[in-house]
Amino acid sequence: MNVPTEHLLALASILFALGVAGFLVRRNVIIVLASVELMLNAANLCFLAGSRAWAAEGAAGGHPIQGPVFALFVILVAAAEAAIGLALIIAIYRLKRTTALDATRDLEG
Amino acid sequence: MSDLKTLFDSIFTASASLATAPILALGVGLLLLLLCDIVTPLRPARGLAFVGTLVVAAILQARVLFANSAPGLVLDGTFLADPTTALFGLSFLVGSLLAWLYASGYYDEERVLATEHDVLFLAAPAGMILMVGAADLLVFFVGLELLSLPLYALAAFRRSRADSVEAGLKYFLLGAFSSAMFLFGSALLYTAAGSLSLSAIAEHGLASRTALAGIALVTSGVFFKASIFPFHMWVPDVYQGSPTPVTALMATGTKAAIFGFLVVQLMPLLPPSAAPMIAVLAIVTMFLGNFGALVQSNVKRMLAYSGVAHAGTLLLVVPGFLAGADPAAASRAALFYLVAYLFTGTGAFGLLALLEADGERFTSLDSLKGLAKRRPAIAAAMTLFLLSLGGIPATGGFLGKWFVFSVLVEAGWTGTAILGVLFSVVALGYYLRVIVAMYMEEALEGEAAPTTNRTGATAATAVCVVGVLATGLLPALLLGPLGS
């Protein structure tokens, strides 16, 4: 059984849209951060789908190895980003005793 | 084995090491700086290590600029090093040094983390150089994160202050969101074209829907970082909440790096039919930036809105290019504008950093009243920076705007150029208000800023003043290496 590339792209797009929706709608910083991770993983899935399509027979001229390598870089950077993000969340929790985004409203205008 | 060696030799050539030497120097200096912090006898040498690293990196970058034949595309076609990117790189190094000079003595309670601060300050220019040279989506992504991650931490550096941490968190969340958009766009482009190289993607074209969605997302991610409408909302909050020297680096260096990539690498990829849409985005950005700045009573926030307006102005070179202006003229205009803005913006934010005490207590318009009497030198330098931001002749800001608008006129978009000039007149309104407050109004009781004086800030201000005047009066100095 072979899943067509279009289906994988559709799945990745749905994941990405869910991530965007979560980012815009949810008000808890940790959930918002998780939504960003969902978007990153949508990108990873898309990279792997593209790589598989270009590795298939008859698809000349592409670089199938670049997709998985990029996905590895994304995972790496996502880890670094999560480290900084969680540090910032701890810093704001120390000051405000909450992780709700609505509480961070000192800067307005 | 010999195959591997041939491959290795074909990628890591002499010109590749010439091109990447500045980034490697920054990396080595960064490690040395960390070492200085651990080894107690070396601690006093930290400042020297920081400045030394930037100087060495600048010398290596100048070697690329003045090389007989520019390295061009190196590392298997993923990294570009030519006179334009080298000039960008030099300006990033100078900008980081200036912002750092303003930062010395700025923090009080957080002095313990001085080394961490400097290390983050060294990582940022490495990311910027990588971004401008990136001829490949992966290289750009790595550069972008190498720049962004340190800046998230730097924005929240005053950890005991809620506004600083909030600025860091906001910058982080929106930065991560824009990175994710960029990444999904890259993934779609890769799926369509089978390659991450920008030239291969350009060759493949944007015929398919996947590729079109990809380029739209990649451009959105870039516009987010460049603070273009509708992605500009975060800028005033983040710029106001961050420590002011960090704001100086964000407003000038980050903007220069992202626009450098946009103009040098991404612009040729955009379809010409996108020109009207980008022009509209630029005009709306200018409108929101300028009119947002008009109503501010806090000078730091006013400068943040003015930064948005400047991003809008600069974006106008993209539709100019797409509508058929000379590509070399477009990238020259952008480079000049950014270098002039680097000196002007760093100087303006830096002087605010010098004036303010106890956080942001003295960045309001009221506290600047009568500054010319109390501190004539600072008021004079601030006036020069504000006039340059407003685009008054004999300053770098004027010539930058002139070059950008002449690209538009060359492309036949005279109406858009006139609209841009009108916005510049509006901008003069809020810049002049600060000058009037400094020179013509009396200081309010109890609002006078303390008379702090710092050697680093004085030196940085002198460099910024010289930079603004030199770009304004002797533009050939900067444009000479590019060859006109």
Side-chain angles (χ1 to χ4, degrees):
Chain A
M1 197 182 97
N2 201 351
V3 184
T5 306
E6 288 72 34
H7 291 194
L8 289 172
L9 287 188
L11 176 63
S13 304
I14 292 168
L15 277 179
F16 186 76
L18 281 176
V20 172
F23 184 89
L24 296 176
V25 172
R26 297 304 290 264
R27 299 261 59 101
N28 184 305
V29 180
I30 295 179
I31 306 288
V32 169
L33 196 55
S35 302
V36 172
E37 300 288 324
L38 201 59
M39 291 165 73
L40 294 181
N41 282 321
N44 280 347
L45 183 61
C46 191
F47 273 121
L48 294 181
S51 165
R52 200 192 61 156
W54 284 96
E57 282 176 57
H63 299 275
I65 189 66
Q66 289 183 345
V69 170
F70 206 137
L72 278 178
F73 271 85
V74 174
I75 294 168
L76 194 91
V77 168
E81 247 178 21
I84 289 190
L86 291 173
L88 287 171
I89 292 171
I90 291 173
I92 204 122
Y93 183 78
R94 278 208 184 118
L95 294 170
K96 305 251 182 185
R97 292 284 146 200
T98 173
T99 56
L101 271 180
D102 299 320
T104 61
R105 280 280 167 91
D106 285 349
L107 301 167
E108 280 295 337
Chain B
M1 259 327 271
S2 68
D3 280 357
L4 211 60
K5 193 177 177 313
T6 327
L7 184 67
F8 189 88
D9 288 344
S10 72
I11 293 177
F12 297 98
T13 54
S15 52
S17 53
L18 177 66
T20 51
I23 303 174
L24 295 177
L26 286 173
V28 171
L30 199 149
L31 293 177
L32 279 179
L33 200 56
L34 282 173
L35 195 70
C36 284
D37 193 44
I38 303 170
V39 186
T40 321
L42 286 177
R43 280 223 177 140
R46 284 178 311 191
L48 190 69
F50 181 89
V51 177
T53 306
L54 280 182
V55 169
V56 168
I59 291 170
L60 292 170
Q61 189 72 81
R63 272 180 67 213
V64 179
L65 184 60
F66 296 114
N68 288 329
S69 60
L73 275 174
V74 295
L75 295 178
D76 207 15
T78 56
F79 188 75
L80 176 73
D82 63 8
T84 309
T85 62
L87 265 180
F88 267 114
L90 268 180
S91 70
F92 301 148
L93 296 166
V94 172
S96 306
L97 183 62
L98 291 175
W100 180 80
L101 282 174
Y102 279 120
S104 64
Y106 175 81
Y107 304 96
D108 30 78
E109 75 270 39
E110 290 92 351
R111 288 191 70 82
V112 201
L113 293 174
T115 310
E116 282 77 356
H117 179 271
D118 294 356
V119 165
L120 294 172
F121 248 81
L122 272 188
M128 295 177 195
I129 296 174
L130 209 52
M131 278 162 76
V132 172
D136 179 286
L137 290 168
L138 177 55
V139 175
F140 174 75
F141 173 65
V142 172
L144 179 69
E145 294 300 323
L146 194 54
L147 165 68
S148 299
L149 295 178
L151 280 181
Y152 301 147
L154 281 173
F157 207 72
R158 288 183 299 181
R159 280 177 307 164
S160 55
R161 294 177 52 93
D163 56 352
S164 178
V165 176
E166 188 190 325
L169 188 66
K170 243 181 201 160
Y171 192 35
F172 164 74
L173 285 176
L174 292 168
F177 183 75
S178 65
S179 294
M181 281 210 297
F182 173 83
L183 279 176
F184 195 64
S186 308
L188 290 176
L189 278 178
Y190 169 72
T191 308
S195 172
L196 293 169
S197 146
L198 290 168
S199 55
I201 293 170
E203 215 169 279
H204 179 269
L206 303 170
S208 67
R209 265 193 313 173
T210 317
L212 214 55
I215 193 78
L217 279 169
V218 164
T219 315
S220 303
V222 169
F223 278 9
F224 220 119
K225 292 274 178 193
S227 68
I228 301 297
F229 172 82
F231 308 120
H232 68 286
M233 308 287 287
W234 56 274
V235 175
D237 287 357
V238 171
Y239 282 17
Q240 189 188 357
S242 305
T244 314
V246 176
T247 310
L249 184 66
M250 279 199 280
T252 59
T254 310
K255 191 171 284 157
I258 202 85
F259 269 106
F261 173 72
L262 182 63
V263 169
V264 177
Q265 314 281 5
L266 192 61
M267 204 160 65
L269 229 72
L270 299 173
S273 55
M277 200 179 76
I278 295 178
V280 168
L281 290 183
I283 295 288
V284 176
T285 308
M286 288 171 80
F287 175 82
L288 290 169
N290 281 320
F291 285 92
L294 266 181
V295 299
Q296 298 304 323
S297 59
N298 182 313
V299 180
K300 192 172 172 188
R301 202 170 171 85
M302 186 272 275
L303 284 177
Y305 272 105
S306 117
V308 175
H310 277 275
T313 313
L314 185 50
L315 186 65
L316 284 175
V317 299
V318 176
F321 164 83
L322 293 177
D326 175 26
S331 78
R332 240 193 345 258
L335 174 65
F336 192 89
Y337 194 104
L338 288 165
V339 171
Y341 186 69
L342 182 101
F343 288 119
T344 326
T346 310
F349 277 114
L351 283 184
L352 278 188
L354 182 65
L355 287 174
E356 78 187 61
D358 185 21
E360 282 166 8
R361 236 174 69 214
F362 296 107
T363 58
S364 72
L365 198 57
D366 283 343
S367 63
L368 288 181
K369 282 181 180 163
L371 189 74
K373 279 213 189 89
R374 282 174 282 136
R375 315 193 66 180
I378 288 188
M382 193 66 167
T383 305
L384 177 71
F385 298 142
L386 291 170
L387 290 178
S388 176
L389 285 172
I392 297 292
T395 60
F398 167 73
L399 278 181
K401 283 205 169 99
W402 172 269
F403 287 137
V404 168
F405 292 140
S406 58
V407 166
L408 273 181
V409 173
E410 191 200 324
W413 288 39
T414 318
T416 318
I418 291 174
L419 206 55
V421 174
L422 286 180
F423 277 126
S424 302
V425 177
V426 174
L428 266 184
Y430 54 83
Y431 295 128
L432 285 179
R433 214 173 46 166
V434 180
I435 298 175
V436 166
M438 287 192 301
Y439 278 90
M440 298 181 185
E441 291 180 34
E442 291 298 319
L444 296 180
E445 279 298 314
E447 275 288 335
T451 50
T452 40
N453 240 333
R454 295 197 290 266
T455 328
T458 312
T461 308
V463 174
C464 288
V465 167
V466 171
V468 169
L469 290 175
T471 45
L473 299 171
L474 301 163
L477 222 55
L478 178 62
L479 297 176
L482 293 179
S484 52

